[in-house]
Amino acid sequence: MTDDVEVDFGEDGLVPAVAQDADSGEVLMLAYVSQTALERTRETGRAHYYSRSRDELWEKGATSGHTQSVREIRVDCDADTLLYLVEQAGGACHTGHRSCFYRTIEGENVGERVFDPDDVYD
């Protein structure tokens, strides 16, 4: 029998969560998760995050349709960072790229653009 790991949400009530493609291992994005977002993710099997800029809970893909089905949630050794192993539908990045990590520090575009954000977001 296993017991749930107690996640350390810190003083601000948030932990970083890396979303990684469950099949390819590609890192798709990093976002923040509140306790409520984690509970919602576990209940629904769809990735939920907490937007620091909008100060609200959000479900990945609720607007764009580019959802993340969560296969597994892992927690790091300090219990203060999460890893979502996901099946990504469409692009993970609001810029239209498959991954938010689509460019090098030198500015070279090395990622695949999979949708036009002007067609998806108003």
Side-chain angles (χ1 to χ4, degrees), residues 12-51:
D12 63 358
L14 302 173
V15 295
V18 175
Q20 181 179 31
D21 186 286
D23 292 325
S24 72
E26 179 182 21
V27 175
L28 300 171
M29 59 180 274
L30 174 116
Y32 290 87
V33 172
S34 64
Q35 186 168 355
T36 302
L38 179 57
E39 290 168 0
R40 190 76 52 85
T41 298
R42 293 181 78 185
E43 289 168 3
T44 66
R46 296 182 311 274
H48 287 74
Y49 299 101
Y50 190 85
S51 171

Side-chain angles (χ1 to χ4, degrees), residues 52-93:
R52 297 180 303 166
S53 60
R54 296 188 312 264
D55 194 27
E56 66 183 16
L57 182 73
W58 59 284
E59 178 182 345
K60 179 67 178 156
T63 301
S64 68
H66 300 165
T67 58
Q68 292 176 343
S69 296
V70 179
R71 281 198 202 162
E72 185 176 23
I73 301 171
R74 295 185 186 178
V75 61
D76 78 335
C77 56
D78 296 321
D80 63 0
T81 303
L82 300 175
L83 176 65
Y84 283 3
L85 297 174
V86 304
E87 294 176 23
Q88 177 69 49
C93 186

